[in-house]
Amino acid sequence: MERRRVTAGTDVRRLILLRHGQTEWNADDRMQGQIDTHLTPLGRAQAVEAARVIAMMNPSIIVSSDLLRAFDTATQIGHLTGLEVLTDKRLRETQLGDWQGLSHSEVDAQFPGARLAWRADPTMAPPGGESRVEVAHRSVPVIEELLATHPEWASGPVVCVAHGGLIAALTAALLNLPVPNWAVFGGLGNASWVQLSRRGHHWRLDVWNASARVASDVL
């Protein structure tokens, strides 16, 4: 019988989903959603540290949410790799509707119990906002289009720089988890990342909430 030689890793696609660095609103426990906010000095330092680690992975593509906190984080990787940072508004954070701009305590006072219920139920949306299922529906096509149009993906990971809520929803959807189980993923630290790998038609979770350095912000 002829033994066929298999070259390991030739058909593997790696995906890095990086959360942006800290913003003032993160530090104040304020609901940002799609409001455009800026990195703090700590957030910029976090972005630099994360970029140093991710650049060593030799990424082939960088795609970012068009919100500044994500784009400015992605730019640090672009500086080190020489890659252009592409933007896609489908990678924006969850639209939080009436909750945007409020602190956690303000949301809890105005909508008692709703924030905890929302975290537990991916089908629930804030008033005027999106559910995590809806966020996944708009973000999964970004990855599918990259798979279809970027053969260079095989040479190095694709890095998507986005937001904690979106990354959790996107990860759960790519892994085909039952929707009631999506809440198993805890929060991501600022400038922390997730790594998934795909062989054939299936994604696998390799890393969750990795970071280049322990930051001073607390989830």
Side-chain angles (χ1 to χ4, degrees):
M1 178 182 296
E2 181 181 357
R3 184 181 298 275
R4 297 184 62 185
R5 181 177 179 182
V6 177
T7 304
T10 55
D11 58 348
V12 174
R13 303 291 186 269
R14 286 186 296 150
L15 175 64
I16 307 295
L17 303 174
L18 172 67
R19 187 187 178 204
H20 60 81
Q22 186 199 60
T23 69
E24 289 287 355
W25 286 37
N26 291 144
D28 292 341
D29 286 334
R30 193 165 293 278
M31 308 286 278
Q32 294 173 107
Q34 294 187 1
I35 294 175
D36 227 357
T37 56
H38 296 271
L39 299 179
T40 62
L42 171 60
R44 288 191 291 273
Q46 291 171 334
V48 169
E49 291 297 321
R52 289 174 179 165
V53 175
I54 291 173
M56 290 189 291
M57 301 178 189
N58 297 313
S60 57
I61 311 164
I62 306 170
V63 185
S64 174
S65 159
D66 63 344
L67 296 178
L68 284 174
R69 59 190 184 270
F71 182 75
D72 289 347
T73 300
T75 297
Q76 298 299 326
I77 307 171
H79 287 332
L80 293 178
T81 61
L83 294 172
E84 176 187 5
V85 177
L86 309 175
T87 59
D88 195 314
K89 66 182 182 181
R90 293 174 294 178
L91 294 177
R92 287 182 179 183
E93 181 58 293
T94 310
Q95 168 58 253
L96 294 177
D98 294 348
W99 295 0
Q100 290 191 163
L102 301 179
S103 68
H104 292 181
S105 59
E106 288 169 340
V107 172
D108 293 342
Q110 294 182 38
F111 306 89
R115 189 169 61 87
L116 292 178
W118 167 70
R119 290 194 178 281
D121 182 359
T123 67
M124 180 180 172
E130 292 177 294
S131 70
R132 271 170 287 168
V133 170
E134 291 171 319
V135 172
H137 284 166
R138 65 168 159 87
S139 57
V140 167
V142 177
I143 308 304
E144 293 174 339
E145 290 165 19
L146 288 167
L147 281 167
T149 60
H150 289 275
E152 68 270 30
W153 189 332
S155 66
V158 164
V159 177
C160 292
V161 184
H163 311 268
L166 179 137
I167 291 172
L170 177 57
T171 299
L174 290 175
L175 294 173
N176 289 317
L177 292 184
V179 171
N181 294 346
W182 284 20
V184 298
F185 291 120
L188 278 177
N190 286 117
S192 295
W193 63 87
V194 175
Q195 179 179 307
L196 298 101
S197 60
R198 178 184 173 104
R199 186 187 297 273
H201 300 290
H202 302 287
W203 288 99
R204 180 182 69 184
L205 179 63
D206 299 322
V207 175
W208 177 265
N209 208 21
S211 64
R213 175 183 294 180
V214 176
S216 64
D217 55 312
V218 177
L219 293 173

